[in-house]
Amino acid sequence: NRTPFMAGNWKMNLDHQQAISTVQKLAWTLKDAKHDYNAVEVAVLPPFTDLRSVQTLVDADKLDIRYGGQDLSQHESGAFTGDVSGPMLAKLGCAYVAVGHSERREHHAESDELVAAKVAAALKNGLSPILCVGEGLHIRKAGEQVSFTLAQVDAALNGLSADEVAKVVIAYEPVWAIGTGEVATPQDAQEVCGAIRARLAELYDADLAGAVRVLYGGSVKSGNVAQIMAQPDVDGALVGGASLDAEEFGKIVRYQ
Ligand code: 13P
């Protein structure tokens, strides 16, 4: 009962004109392939400066492609130079927003507490957070990937009701597999995605755990996506580099 979900995180790539051509090309590619958006949901996460252009295109062409931000402020408005709020993203028609991506945690020192505040801010504004979690290489080498990642999940969901968590998407992205070409094995992905789902059952109940989508992210490409999607607890992928090429991302979306 979990609809597979493929999301492209463009990171700091593609200006608003490139965004229009990329989304157009993705829509054409998927139309040619007679893609059923109800069978596999598709979203892109462009830079903030692209979102208005993407909204205009999606509305004009009535596309079934969803979109969202890569981050949001924990605040609603005010003196926070450079930040973008949940209400602003909601007004642009965003369905999703990435929260706690490892690049935000690393380069912007985002703590678990801040990530939790951002998850709450997203939900408050009707946005589904794509909560990113995952361990770095030293933690993987120490064999502590499950406990580390579950601690991030616990912290980010702290205080949320089951109804709220039902709207969250969790993306397991081992930091050592991001942008490195070093893809986690399907078994690695399943181990942690399965542990995340088991934790949701502990924190809430089996129904909720069975409903929340858990994605894998880290060097996903058309050539490795099928094996990853074959894992029982992997419901989709959060794709970085390979999502910048509409044809390649289209192939990832049609992984079957
Ligand atoms: P890559 O697919 O480029 O490894 O990036 C993964 C990622 O960080 C998606 O959020």
Side-chain angles (χ1 to χ4, degrees):
N1 57 346
R2 300 186 297 270
T3 304
F5 182 33
M6 296 298 179
N9 173 12
W10 292 0
K11 309 192 178 184
M12 197 172 72
N13 297 292
L14 308 183
D15 62 34
H16 74 285
Q17 290 175 324
Q18 295 167 317
I20 293 169
S21 57
T22 303
V23 171
Q24 239 160 10
K25 202 166 162 191
L26 177 62
W28 291 333
T29 304
L30 292 175
K31 194 174 179 195
D32 277 352
K34 299 193 170 33
H35 179 67
D36 177 0
Y37 288 88
N38 295 317
V40 180
E41 188 180 348
V42 183
V44 293
L45 308 178
F48 290 136
T49 50
D50 299 0
L51 286 171
R52 175 62 177 153
S53 303
V54 171
Q55 177 187 35
T56 303
L57 173 63
V58 164
D59 287 354
D61 290 3
K62 296 190 168 48
L63 303 181
D64 291 316
I65 296 170
R66 303 258 173 88
Y67 54 90
Q70 297 173 11
D71 178 41
L72 83 168
S73 172
Q74 72 273 35
H75 303 290
E76 296 276 297
S77 65
F80 302 103
T81 302
D83 289 348
V84 169
S85 72
M88 292 169 182
L89 294 178
K91 190 107 185 201
L92 284 166
C94 290
Y96 293 101
V97 61
V99 176
H101 192 281
S102 60
E103 288 149 18
R104 301 287 319 170
R105 292 180 191 258
E106 185 182 346
H107 305 309
H108 297 268
E110 294 200 2
S111 65
D112 280 341
E113 293 69 32
L114 179 59
V115 170
K118 289 184 173 194
V119 167
L123 290 167
K124 188 174 173 210
N125 288 288
L127 303 163
S128 280
I130 301 177
L131 167 66
C132 303
V133 294
E135 82 287 353
L137 189 57
H138 63 291
I139 289 167
R140 163 71 51 170
K141 283 192 168 151
E144 287 162 8
Q145 61 273 12
V146 170
S147 57
F148 179 90
T149 303
L150 293 185
Q152 287 184 327
V153 170
D154 289 351
L157 302 184
N158 185 29
L160 297 182
S161 68
D163 286 350
E164 289 172 315
V165 177
K167 299 185 182 102
V168 177
V169 175
I170 300 179
Y172 169 57
E173 301 205 307
V175 179
W176 49 271
I178 294 177
T180 56
E182 184 95 26
V183 62
T185 67
Q187 292 71 31
D188 290 339
Q190 169 56 30
E191 179 194 33
V192 183
C193 292
I196 290 170
R197 197 176 308 288
R199 180 62 129 230
L200 293 173
E202 273 170 36
L203 293 173
Y204 299 91
D205 57 49
D207 281 355
L208 181 82
V212 170
R213 290 179 296 182
V214 181
L215 316 183
Y216 167 78
S219 299
V220 173
K221 299 181 190 65
S222 58
N224 59 29
V225 65
Q227 285 176 295
I228 292 164
M229 288 303 290
Q231 303 305 309
D233 287 303
V234 179
D235 304 314
L238 185 55
V239 185
S243 73
L244 300 175
D245 178 330
E247 264 180 55
E248 168 68 1
F249 188 50
K251 284 186 196 159
I252 292 170
V253 167
R254 310 188 319 271
Y255 61 92
Q256 277 123 335

